[in-house]
Amino acid sequence: MPPAPVTRFERLTIPEVILITPPRLGDERGFFSETWNAARYAEAGIAAEFVQDNHSLSAIAGTLRGLHCQIAPSVQGKLVRVLRGAIWDVAVDIRVGSPSYGRHVAAELSAANWAQLWIPGGFLHGFCTLAPDTEVTYKITAGYDQAAERGVIWNDPDLAVPWPVTAAAAVLSAKDTKLPRLA
C-alpha cells in the first residue's frame, strides 16, 4: 500500500507566512481532506490555538476585503482557505522592528488548488475575490475586539500590492474606503 499523501508547508518570502496544501483523498464518492491537525501544524511552526471560525461569501468577483488586523491585547493569527471560488490573499508585515516591515506576500487560494494561508499575528490581511460567489473560511486565534481593530487602505502606494483589480472595479465596504495609509 503506498504511503498516504502529506500536507505541504511552504514558507513564503516572509517566512512566518506559510502556504499550506493539504492532500485530498478522492474516489467516486468525492474526497476527504484533513485541513487542520494541531500536532502536524505545530511541527511546521504553526502552534496556534484557534478560538473562532469565520465564513464569508462574496457574491461579486473583484470584492476586496481589507487590509485589516487587530492589535494587542487581541492580536489575531489566521488560517485562511477557500471553499468555493478563488481569492488573491495578501499579508502585510506591520511588526515594528521586523526586517520585512511594510512588505507583503500574496498567494492565490482556491477551491481548485485547495491551498491555505497561515498569517500570524502582526500582519495586515486582505483578499480580493477572483470569481463570483466565492466562499472563504478562516480560523482565528483571538475573537473580534472592536477597540483593537485597525486597518490600512488596500491600495496604499507605499505598499505596492499587485491587486488583480483596478480601483474603479474594486467592490469595497464603506469602511474599507476610508482606511488610512500605513505611514
Side-chain angles (χ1 to χ4, degrees):
M1 189 168 192
V6 297
T7 300
R8 287 192 333 252
F9 296 91
E10 176 189 346
R11 293 187 179 275
L12 300 183
T13 56
I14 300 175
E16 295 85 357
V17 180
I18 303 171
L19 186 64
I20 304 152
T21 308
R24 285 193 282 199
L25 307 171
D27 60 23
E28 65 280 353
R29 301 167 298 164
F31 72 86
F32 170 84
S33 183
E34 183 182 271
T35 60
W36 167 252
N37 179 302
R40 281 197 194 96
Y41 280 56
E43 288 174 10
I46 305 169
E49 290 186 33
F50 295 113
V51 301
Q52 183 174 314
D53 283 359
N54 296 335
H55 188 144
S56 73
L57 166 68
S58 298
I60 303 168
T63 297
L64 203 138
R65 298 177 186 262
L67 297 162
H68 307 137
C69 72
Q70 287 191 183
I71 61 170
S74 302
V75 175
Q76 290 179 336
K78 297 178 181 178
L79 181 62
V80 183
R81 68 188 185 104
V82 172
L83 302 176
R84 180 171 46 156
I87 63 172
W88 180 247
D89 205 22
V90 175
V92 178
D93 189 351
I94 57 166
R95 298 171 298 164
V96 176
S98 169
S100 55
Y101 180 84
R103 290 189 12 226
H104 69 274
V105 291
E108 183 174 326
L109 307 181
S110 70
N113 71 18
W114 206 238
Q116 303 177 11
L117 196 62
W118 164 246
I119 303 164
F123 284 76
L124 292 163
H125 173 246
F127 63 84
C128 180
T129 60
L130 303 174
D133 298 320
T134 292
E135 291 189 67
V136 177
T137 185
Y138 49 101
K139 301 174 116 20
I140 58 175
T141 60
Y144 176 69
D145 179 355
Q146 186 175 13
E149 182 180 24
R150 299 293 186 274
V152 170
I153 192 73
W154 69 281
N155 58 354
D156 183 336
D158 294 332
L159 298 179
V161 174
W163 293 102
V165 65
T166 65
V171 179
L172 299 154
S173 71
K175 180 176 83 171
D176 285 351
T177 65
K178 296 175 177 74
L179 294 171
R181 291 175 58 175
L182 182 60

